[in-house]
Each structure stands twice: as C-alpha cells, then as structure tokens.
C-alpha cells in the first residue's frame, strides 16, 4: 500500500486540485482501492473513495471509478481557474454548498458527473441566475462516452465521441456531442436552452448548434453590462505594467 501524507493531486486537467490529500491506496491483483481519503478542494473538505472495479458483471475488463463528497465555497470556486466559466460566475457568489463528484475512466477517457443542490450558495447575478443562499437550484454536469464508442472494439481507430450535458434547474439546459479523440474535445453538434418552460428541454439537432432562449426570463441589459465589466477587467489584467 501507499500512504498519502498531504500530497497534492489532480485527476484530470479539468478537475480541481486535491490539496493535502491524506489516506491509503491499497493494491491487489485486481487493481487498487482508496477508502476514506481526505483532502481540501474548492475551499472546503472533501472525502474520496474508489479504485479499480470490473467494467461489468463477470467481465475481465476493469475501469477506474473515483467518488468524492465535499463542500465548495464561493472563494474556492473563484480560485479554481481550471473550471473556466464557473470561476467567472463565482465572482458574484457567496457562501458554500455541498456537492458529489464521480469520475470514471473508460477507453482512456475521463467521464465526470457533478451534482449539487447549491443550497447555501447565494448568487448575485441577473435573472434568471440569481438565487438566495437558502434556496435550491439543482446542478447536474455530466460527460459520458456514447454507446457507439463503448461498443466499438478497442484500437479500431474510429473517433471516440461523448455526450456533455449541463442542467441548472429550469434556468439553463445544454447538450453537446463531442469528438474526444484528440488533445482537445471538439463540438460536433449541440443545443442550448435558457429560461425554458416546464416540459421543454435542449434537444440535440441533426447538425450545428442551436439555442432556445426565453427572453421573457432573461434581462439582456443586465447581462450585457455584466459581460462588459468582465471584459474590461480582463483587459486591465492583461495590460503591460
């Protein structure tokens, strides 16, 4: 076994750093296992379990699956530059919220599932993104290989594809089909929905990327002002000293 004594770990380039990780990794002929490891991530504590497991019942193939449960703070999200757009949104957030993360590696590709109610996190953004700390706004992010990619024999050479979905209550719904064979994922098709009515969803089109935005629920002037401020701040930060 290997004892982690305060190590810093990052599972994938798109996932946050696990700082000061403590716990044990045990190895066997079937792979490895992590039980009850603890770390700091996104400004809060996180518990980590997982390891190697069979890809299916009675299967000789194995996969790596890691589970994490923790709490993220607004300040921790602001410092997590690897989260991209989430980091920008956290600029107008305060408080903290619990979350669950599952990371699985299949065909050499990371598949990530993130869920949270966001209760405890206040967001001071224009409608429809604004929320108080005591309200829930269910968040779900997932990227997973398509059934066709999982079914094809390993090493066949056809491009691997995945579906990426992101849902934030009834506020935002997105779905993308991506080619993940190269160093950078490439969007093939996609749909974006904002402020959709009950029963509506973002549906993957036959080609291109489509958007369905309910303007009655979106304050365009406030969003334009917000993005203008972000662009100005970015320009000032990039200016030579």
């Amino acid at each position: 076994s290997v004892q982690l004594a305060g190590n810093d770990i990052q599972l994938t380039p798109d996932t946050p750093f696990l700082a000061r990780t403590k716990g044990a990794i045990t190895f066997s002929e079937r792979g490895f296992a992590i039980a009850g490891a603890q770390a700091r991530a996104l400004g809060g504590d996180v518990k980590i379990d997982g390891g190697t497991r069979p890809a299916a019942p009675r299967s000789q193939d194995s996969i790596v699956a890691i589970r994490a449960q923790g709490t993220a703070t607004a300040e921790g999200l602001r410092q997590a530059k690897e989260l991209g757009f989430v980091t920008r949104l956290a600029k107008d957030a305060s408080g903290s919220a619990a979350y669950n993360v599952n990371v699985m590696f299949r065909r050499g590709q990371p598949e990530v599932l993130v869920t949270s109610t966001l209760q405890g996190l206040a967001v001071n953004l224009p409608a429809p993104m604004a929320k108080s700390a005591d309200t829930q706004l269910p968040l779900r992010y997932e990227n997973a290989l398509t059934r066709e990619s999982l079914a094809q024999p390993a090493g066949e050479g056809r491009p691997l594809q995945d579906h990426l979905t992101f849902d934030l209550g009834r506020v935002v719904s997105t779905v993308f089909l991506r080619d993940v064979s190269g160093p950078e994922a490439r969007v093939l098709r996609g749909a974006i929905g904002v402020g959709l009515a009950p029963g509506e969803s973002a549906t993957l089109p036959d080609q291109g990327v489509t958007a369905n935005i309910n303007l009655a629920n979106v304050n365009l002037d406030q969003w334009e002002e917000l993005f203008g401020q972000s662009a100005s701040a970015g320009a000032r930060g990039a200016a030579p000293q």
Side-chain angles (χ1 to χ4, degrees):
S1 66
V2 174
Q3 194 71 30
L4 301 174
N7 304 68
D8 291 344
I9 300 171
Q10 188 178 30
L11 296 177
T12 75
D14 298 326
T15 56
F17 277 95
L18 300 171
R20 304 197 298 274
T21 307
K22 295 181 180 180
I25 304 176
T26 58
F27 296 90
S28 68
E29 67 278 5
R30 294 186 298 272
F32 71 95
I34 305 170
Q38 296 182 341
R40 293 281 295 178
L42 301 177
D45 295 326
V46 58
K47 180 181 177 181
I48 307 158
D49 297 280
T52 310
R53 72 180 195 191
R58 297 184 296 276
S59 172
Q60 297 300 314
D61 297 328
S62 62
I63 59 175
V64 174
I66 306 294
R67 301 176 300 276
Q69 294 178 303
T71 299
T73 68
E75 180 59 31
L77 291 170
R78 283 191 284 271
Q79 295 178 4
K81 305 304 182 186
E82 63 275 6
L83 297 183
F85 186 63
V86 173
T87 300
R88 291 172 56 191
L89 293 180
K91 179 177 70 70
D92 297 281
S94 60
S96 62
Y99 65 87
N100 292 283
V101 177
N102 289 276
V103 180
M104 184 184 304
F105 292 86
R106 295 193 293 182
R107 297 295 178 93
Q109 297 292 328
E111 298 178 309
V112 181
L113 170 63
V114 181
T115 58
S116 174
T117 66
L118 297 185
Q119 189 168 24
L121 193 72
V123 182
N124 184 27
L125 286 171
M129 293 287 290
K131 72 175 291 291
S132 61
D134 60 345
T135 60
Q136 295 188 8
L137 185 62
L139 175 149
R140 180 185 175 90
Y141 168 96
E142 182 177 20
N143 72 284
L145 291 173
T146 63
R147 285 179 295 179
E148 293 79 8
S149 291
L150 290 172
Q152 71 184 43
E156 188 173 276
R158 286 188 293 176
L160 290 175
Q161 297 179 352
D162 78 353
H163 280 120
L164 185 155
T165 59
F166 175 76
D167 293 291
L168 187 62
R170 298 301 311 169
V171 175
V172 178
S173 179
T174 66
V175 56
F176 295 101
L177 177 67
R178 307 187 303 172
D179 182 337
V180 294
S181 302
E184 298 286 339
R186 182 170 60 91
V187 173
L188 303 175
R189 294 182 284 146
I192 302 169
V194 178
L196 300 182
E200 286 189 293
S201 62
T203 303
L204 199 63
D206 293 333
Q207 61 181 6
V209 177
T210 61
N212 181 3
I213 301 176
N214 187 340
L215 295 179
N217 296 326
V218 180
N219 191 317
L220 293 179
D221 292 337
Q222 290 183 359
W223 278 106
E224 184 177 359
E225 180 181 356
L226 177 68
F227 283 117
Q229 292 172 352
S230 299
S232 297
R236 288 196 299 270
Q241 303 296 316

